[in-house]
Amino acid sequence: MGRLIVVSNRVAKPTETKGSAGGLAVAIFGALKDTGGVWFGWSGEVVSEAVAHAGPTLVEEGTVTFATVGLVRRDYDQYYRGFSNATLWPVFHYRNDLAAYERDDYAGYRRVNAWLAHKLVKLLAPDDIIWVHDYHLIPFADALRREGIGNRIGFFLHTPFPAPQVLLNVPPHEELIKSLCCYDVVGFQTDTDRGAFHDYLVRHAHGTVSEQGEIEAFGRRLRTDVYRIGVFPDEIAREAERNESRQHVLELKQSLEGRELVMSVDRLDYSKGLVERFKAFERLLENAPQWRGNVTLVQIAPPTRADVESYQEIRHNLEYEAGRINGRFSGLDYTPIRYLNQRYARSQLMSLFRESQVGFVTPLRDGMNLVAKEYVAAQNPEDPGVLVLSEFAGAAAELCAAVLVNPHDIAGMAEALERALAMPLAERRQRHEVNMAALRKNDLGTWRDRFLADLRGEPYG
Ligand SMILES: O=P(O)(O)OC[C@H]1O[C@H](O[C@H]2O[C@H](CO)[C@@H](O)[C@H](O)[C@H]2O)[C@H](O)[C@@H](O)[C@@H]1O
Ligand SMILES: O=c1ccn([C@@H]2O[C@H](COP(=O)(O)OP(=O)(O)O)[C@@H](O)[C@H]2O)c(=O)[nH]1
């Protein structure tokens, strides 16, 4: 069997593939180890021309090579900050109002894809299979094909794929989707995303799609399927239990003085619905006075993509809302919203989830939302908390025993919180059991192995 080559904009550090590190890195590293392979992408650093051109930097970990390159300032601005995160990210999350398009940024996006592909070519062998991740790298297979690479290449989109009418707002949509058709397998998080891609091909590209997802478009044949990304639920459960009495949990518990805890964790991104969520929590305190002084929302929100303008705005709005709501409902010994602008280790988060009565996960749009899955997995099955989840998170297709909400309906979310906080133990247990079964049925290993079997053209299982 040929080696596996994983390509993503962010590459896990070798240290992140061990123990309690992020599940995605652990799962991908596991697959890389099985066949030997390479994990290739951006180092996360902006560097000088000389350093960028000298790359990639190679770090060996057994049979796996981590190969990373730095980006020069102009490439970072046009490829990452510009076309990826100021055009594609908002449009793919149905926020055309926040999308900006610059022709030069798109040229930079294609140029960096071509440059990265050229760097990878030197590391490839003829029987390698190549698995590319996410919207930063849509033209990557096209660029490899132009370098004469005929290997099997697959693509997995972690974000939503927008309905064609929304996608048409990206001026070079046709060229972009034509490039996407250079892959052999294209994977999506949900049926809706896959359906939107098929719709685009049929309505706007004279493509044909068979019932099995075999596609002919732009003179290429490829296949699509839905591969819902998961977690390893039993590992998370063990980790959350193991850390139950660690210092950070005890400190939080003590500071709550018996109050109920609602937990939310998101990158500080406008797609996560944070402002609407704060307003829903305010509405709960407004409508249900018995909860004033008796429930605390802890929102962990590490900053992300802080040099993109729309991210500066969301941060500003959120700070305003937190201050306003806290000013309205705080007491001398009570602050309703604890808003923490910093990153916590994943292992710490899992034990905080276990300590809370409600997980409040309400993105306006989200490819999957792993936090929702982690929240369920981290619960004590004897006394589980309740997940309140947006119907627009990919995770809602599987976690059907969560309390589902529309994140635009502030009153509806406040009612859902009230219901979750008052939910009897028997109902909480039953919902938890159903959600846990869904997580076990489709864990992170299943996501990975199904995709790789399809890419290799082998039967799964
Ligand atoms: O690399 P950054 O710009 O700092 O952003 C972090 C990642 O955000 C996005 O995550 C997505 O993938 C998750 C796993 O499949 C999914 O649950 C979530 O819904 C997505 O938003 C982005 O797609 C990644 O490429 C970024 O690395
Ligand atoms: O302070 C933080 C915030 C988030 N996460 C992790 O980052 C991932 C976020 O993934 P998700 O799919 O929820 O959203 P994304 O940020 O990828 O859009 C989850 O594994 C979280 O546990 C973390 O380790 N520390």
Side-chain angles (χ1 to χ4, degrees):
M1 194 162 40
R3 296 180 310 168
L4 170 63
I5 313 296
V6 173
V7 184
S8 53
N9 178 60
R10 292 225 182 254
V11 176
K13 295 188 175 64
T15 48
E16 289 168 355
T17 58
K18 298 186 183 77
S20 64
L24 185 63
V26 175
I28 288 185
F29 186 69
L32 282 164
K33 251 187 349 195
D34 285 349
T35 55
V38 178
W39 195 337
F40 175 79
W42 177 40
S43 63
E45 281 166 23
V46 174
V47 297
S48 66
E49 291 274 350
V51 173
H53 287 287
T57 302
L58 305 181
V59 177
E60 309 281 339
E61 183 79 26
T63 54
V64 182
T65 304
F66 291 81
T68 54
V69 286
L71 292 177
V72 297
R73 170 61 57 187
R74 186 169 82 118
D75 288 351
Y76 169 86
D77 282 343
Q78 295 183 333
Y79 150 82
Y80 177 75
R81 188 167 68 86
F83 192 71
S84 294
N85 284 317
T87 306
L88 290 182
W89 179 271
V91 173
F92 280 24
H93 289 81
Y94 289 76
R95 292 300 302 268
N96 284 325
D97 58 317
L98 298 178
Y101 174 70
E102 290 293 342
R103 198 180 267 193
D104 287 351
D105 287 356
Y106 178 59
Y109 173 81
R110 291 203 78 97
R111 184 184 66 244
V112 171
N113 267 268
W115 179 72
L116 290 170
H118 184 69
K119 292 265 177 199
L120 180 66
V121 166
K122 295 168 195 143
L123 304 177
L124 290 177
D127 60 347
D128 289 340
I129 62 157
I130 305 164
W131 189 11
V132 180
H133 293 257
D134 238 355
Y135 59 99
H136 319 84
L137 297 168
I138 291 173
F140 196 81
D142 190 3
L144 281 178
R145 304 276 181 231
R146 286 169 200 262
E147 296 264 356
I149 298 299
N151 301 38
R152 301 274 297 167
I153 316 177
F155 178 84
F156 182 75
L157 183 67
H158 290 256
T159 69
F161 188 91
Q165 283 306 316
V166 176
L167 181 61
L168 294 182
N169 288 286
V170 178
H173 58 87
E174 189 180 336
E175 195 178 45
L176 207 59
I177 301 305
K178 187 175 174 191
S179 299
L180 190 50
C181 290
C182 291
Y183 288 93
D184 297 298
V185 176
V186 176
F188 298 94
Q189 298 270 31
T190 67
D191 293 309
T192 311
D193 301 319
R194 182 191 189 209
F197 178 59
H198 290 176
D199 263 10
Y200 179 94
L201 293 179
V202 172
R203 286 165 198 248
H204 301 281
H206 310 290
T208 57
V209 180
S210 78
E211 285 210 353
Q212 292 69 37
E214 305 292 342
I215 286 172
E216 285 190 42
F218 299 108
R220 291 261 324 152
R221 281 163 166 258
L222 59 147
R223 60 163 301 176
T224 63
D225 212 333
V226 173
Y227 309 87
R228 299 184 175 89
I229 195 166
V231 295
F232 290 120
D234 294 303
E235 276 177 25
I236 290 177
R238 277 194 293 276
E239 184 168 37
E241 190 177 8
R242 215 175 25 245
N243 291 335
E244 216 166 22
S245 49
R246 293 269 298 275
Q247 189 63 17
H248 64 279
V249 183
L250 298 179
E251 275 171 13
L252 174 67
K253 218 168 162 173
Q254 199 181 16
S255 74
L256 287 171
E257 296 174 325
R259 294 182 184 101
E260 302 288 56
L261 171 62
V262 176
M263 275 294 305
S264 295
V265 175
D266 315 77
R267 279 181 305 104
L268 214 178
D269 195 300
Y270 51 80
S271 63
K272 303 288 184 182
L274 296 159
V275 169
E276 291 79 0
R277 186 181 307 161
F278 280 15
K279 287 185 176 165
F281 190 72
E282 176 185 31
R283 190 69 65 87
L284 168 79
L285 300 180
E286 215 170 76
N287 290 353
Q290 72 275 19
W291 284 113
R292 288 183 206 161
N294 290 319
V295 61
T296 298
L297 168 64
V298 170
Q299 171 70 63
I300 292 178
T304 173
R305 306 170 196 166
D307 49 5
V308 179
E309 201 182 317
S310 43
Y311 286 79
Q312 292 157 7
E313 268 171 42
I314 176 72
R315 183 167 186 173
H316 178 77
N317 291 347
L318 209 55
E319 278 164 6
Y320 170 80
E321 287 301 334
R324 189 183 61 74
I325 298 165
N326 280 339
R328 187 170 169 204
F329 288 107
S330 287
L332 287 175
D333 61 348
Y334 172 57
T335 309
I337 299 179
R338 297 188 193 174
Y339 173 48
L340 309 171
N341 238 205
Q342 55 179 293
R343 191 176 169 79
Y344 281 73
R346 202 163 161 270
S347 57
Q348 283 185 312
L349 294 179
M350 300 309 120
S351 48
L352 297 177
F353 288 160
R354 193 176 175 94
E355 195 51 43
S356 69
Q357 284 66 48
V358 179
F360 199 20
V361 184
T362 57
L364 304 178
R365 287 277 164 186
D366 218 330
M368 180 52 65
N369 198 297
L370 291 175
V371 164
K373 293 190 166 184
E374 292 165 350
Y375 182 82
V376 170
Q379 296 311 301
N380 175 357
E382 299 306 315
D383 184 17
V386 180
L387 176 66
V388 175
L389 177 63
S390 163
E391 61 185 280
F392 302 125
E398 291 165 277
L399 300 177
C400 43
V403 175
L404 293 180
V405 292
N406 182 318
H408 301 286
D409 180 4
I410 307 290
M413 285 197 284
E415 281 164 16
L417 272 182
E418 216 179 327
R419 184 167 163 218
L421 284 164
M423 193 175 283
L425 178 61
E427 184 179 348
R428 285 191 277 125
R429 277 190 184 159
Q430 200 246 335
R431 285 174 182 265
H432 178 256
E433 224 171 87
V434 173
N435 281 336
M436 240 354 225
L439 294 186
R440 287 191 181 113
K441 189 168 158 219
N442 178 46
D443 71 7
L444 190 54
T446 309
W447 168 78
R448 173 194 72 194
D449 295 343
R450 275 190 57 230
F451 190 97
L452 291 177
D454 284 350
L455 185 54
R456 292 196 168 101
E458 293 166 354
Y460 167 70

